[in-house]
Amino acid sequence: MHLRQNFSLKSYNTFGIDVPAEYFTALSDINSLEEIAAIQKQKHILGGGSNILLTKPVKGLVIHNKLKGIKIEKEDDNHVWVRVQSGELWHDFVLYAINKGLGGIENLALIPGTAGASPMQNIGAYGVEAKDTIESVTFWYWNERTFLTYASRECAFEYRDSIFKHHLKDKAFITSVVYKLDKKPKYNTSYGAIEQELESMGVQELSVKAIAYAVMHIRISKLPDPKIIGNAGSFFKNPTIPQKLFITLQSSYPKIPYYKVNDTMVKIPAGWLIEQCGWKGYKTGFTGVHAKQALVLVNYGNAKGSDIWKLSGEILNSVKERFGIELEREVQVW
Ligand SMILES: Cc1cc2nc3c(=O)[nH]c(=O)nc-3n(C[C@H](O)[C@H](O)[C@H](O)COP(=O)(O)OP(=O)(O)OC[C@H]3O[C@@H](n4cnc5c(N)ncnc54)[C@H](O)[C@@H]3O)c2cc1C
């Protein structure tokens, strides 16, 4: 194990924030976990760094996950169970699946980051969530220095949420995930502009590949590329509010977009709320709100994590003041 000290994380987070880790190591061999566990330092697991905001130098040991490998565990007439080591890039796994014609994750194409982070926050896009295909999650449990496997139902998956953000926060290093993919995919094209994009691509016959490419085209046209402008995708979650509050809001804002969660709760796009408060395209120093996507906070160059944190607080307050809705940050703050 190669341990570095005072190591810059600038190229290890998609916001491009330049803070050092007190200690840093890359993990490519699962057998090194025992050795790492013996280091008496607070441990932070880093995948692609696409869902974190670094607000200060990171005390303790940052472990950069480089565990690699994709392997079919078993299959039957309808499904294939694939074990993916957690340091694999999520999009590489999507490409693996679509090249084999296996369905289930094509709508999640081009989401940055590692497979290991996919259960952590139950990544989702275009009407599909990671939980829909996750069969089980295997993790190293620091407290007992042992591997445990949780079936999907034990992971408490919710919208951008799981047990790994709560009960198992800082206690589990997800080492591999088993996904159950479909040999006879059921396509989900009703969400967003997928159907429109498929049409403009001239797609005659649906396939997982065609859908993944449609999603990729849409994402490239809509979302800022972190290699050009630092960002972590959606900074806030879409809030779910009681139907009663929604009806009151709708009387003042008849055009408010919404999605009915159930008979009592309604989901509102956070981007719309932020835009109504006038933040879209806002810029102060090196930080700002993206001009095309109000949900995306950006680093235009040399922003500090604390600047982005401060701006996110101002946005939270203004949305709360105007709509009475408390937004929740989606990114993990370190
Ligand atoms: C341009 C852009 C677009 C995005 N679009 C989407 C989207 O459509 N949908 C969506 O859901 N997300 C989206 N995201 C957010 C992000 O890509 C996902 O949250 C992704 O899963 C983060 O993976 P990561 O490896 O980069 O995690 P990191 O940022 O490295 O880590 C995030 C958190 O997970 C923990 N973690 C990471 N790996 C492990 C592990 N192996 N075991 C335990 N804990 C771990 C970390 O400690 C940290 O707390 C987007 C981000 C960007 C920059």
Side-chain angles (χ1 to χ4, degrees):
M1 182 191 28
H2 183 40
L3 209 57
R4 296 162 188 247
Q5 232 177 315
N6 201 26
F7 184 82
S8 169
L9 296 174
K10 186 171 166 61
S11 56
Y12 290 83
N13 69 103
T14 58
F15 261 126
I17 305 290
D18 192 6
V19 296
E22 188 184 7
Y23 293 96
F24 179 94
T25 193
L27 176 83
S28 50
D29 177 359
I30 207 163
N31 296 312
S32 303
L33 276 169
E34 272 286 358
E35 198 185 341
I36 291 176
I39 300 174
Q40 296 298 314
K41 293 273 172 203
Q42 193 188 346
K43 299 178 185 69
H44 312 267
I45 300 150
L46 180 66
S50 62
N51 198 33
I52 51 169
L53 176 65
L54 302 170
T55 54
K56 53 184 180 302
V58 182
K59 275 217 151 46
L61 173 63
V62 170
I63 306 158
H64 187 216
N65 184 5
K66 308 276 279 179
L67 296 175
K68 300 283 182 189
I70 302 181
K71 205 174 128 219
I72 292 178
E73 289 239 312
K74 60 173 183 175
E75 56 186 295
D76 63 16
D77 289 346
N78 297 315
H79 297 105
V80 177
W81 286 259
V82 186
R83 181 177 295 276
V84 182
Q85 298 303 315
S86 58
E88 286 286 348
L89 289 183
W90 171 259
H91 184 64
D92 285 352
F93 174 47
V94 174
L95 293 178
Y96 167 95
I98 63 174
N99 284 331
K100 288 190 178 312
L102 297 171
I105 55 173
E106 58 279 4
N107 292 39
L108 304 178
L110 224 53
I111 295 182
T114 53
S118 69
M120 166 83 187
Q121 83 142 9
N122 181 25
I123 56 170
Y126 297 96
V128 172
E129 290 182 314
K131 75 166 172 56
D132 303 335
T133 49
I134 290 176
E135 180 80 355
S136 66
V137 179
T138 297
F139 56 92
W140 171 260
Y141 187 50
W142 293 111
N143 289 5
E144 291 179 13
R145 297 194 189 182
T146 188
F147 290 100
L148 297 176
T149 295
Y150 274 18
S152 185
R153 64 177 180 284
E154 295 172 282
C155 295
F157 287 127
E158 295 285 349
Y159 163 61
R160 300 296 179 276
D161 208 4
S162 74
I163 195 166
F164 302 102
K165 276 186 164 180
H166 301 282
H167 181 60
L168 289 175
K169 190 174 162 59
D170 299 329
K171 293 182 183 150
F173 185 142
I174 296 165
T175 50
S176 68
V177 184
V178 175
Y179 302 88
K180 183 181 169 188
L181 302 179
D182 275 332
K183 285 185 176 174
K184 299 166 189 162
K186 296 161 219 65
Y187 303 122
N188 183 344
T189 60
S190 58
Y191 206 91
I194 298 184
E195 269 167 13
Q196 218 178 312
E197 185 62 35
L198 286 165
E199 210 179 299
S200 70
M201 283 163 61
V203 171
Q204 305 285 334
E205 202 179 323
L206 274 187
S207 65
V208 286
K209 197 174 252 177
I211 294 172
Y213 277 77
V215 167
M216 283 153 72
H217 287 167
I218 301 168
R219 292 183 69 98
I220 289 167
S221 70
K222 280 175 73 174
L223 287 168
D225 180 351
K227 287 192 192 104
I228 299 165
I229 307 176
N231 75 89
S234 305
F235 197 92
F236 302 99
K237 289 186 183 185
N238 293 319
T240 302
I241 61 168
Q243 171 95 5
K244 258 189 173 173
L245 172 60
F246 173 69
I247 289 167
T248 315
L249 285 176
Q250 203 180 29
S251 61
S252 311
Y253 304 92
K255 286 189 179 158
I256 186 168
Y258 67 97
Y259 163 80
K260 221 169 171 246
V261 177
N262 54 38
D263 287 345
T264 55
M265 302 301 281
V266 175
K267 195 180 274 184
I268 313 286
W272 185 86
L273 297 167
I274 296 167
E275 195 176 336
Q276 295 306 302
C277 294
W279 291 104
K280 198 174 180 180
Y282 174 84
K283 199 173 168 191
T284 173
F286 287 111
T287 59
V289 178
H290 195 256
K292 283 195 201 162
Q293 275 293 334
L295 204 46
V296 178
L297 303 194
V298 293
N299 173 9
Y300 286 111
N302 287 327
K304 290 189 182 128
S306 53
D307 298 334
I308 294 171
W309 170 261
K310 184 166 168 268
L311 174 61
S312 71
E314 288 166 12
I315 293 171
L316 280 175
N317 288 341
S318 71
V319 169
K320 171 94 181 148
E321 212 165 279
R322 177 143 179 198
F323 295 103
I325 296 175
E326 193 113 29
L327 291 183
E328 192 187 330
R329 293 176 181 90
E330 186 174 313
V331 297
Q332 302 295 299
V333 179
W334 281 18

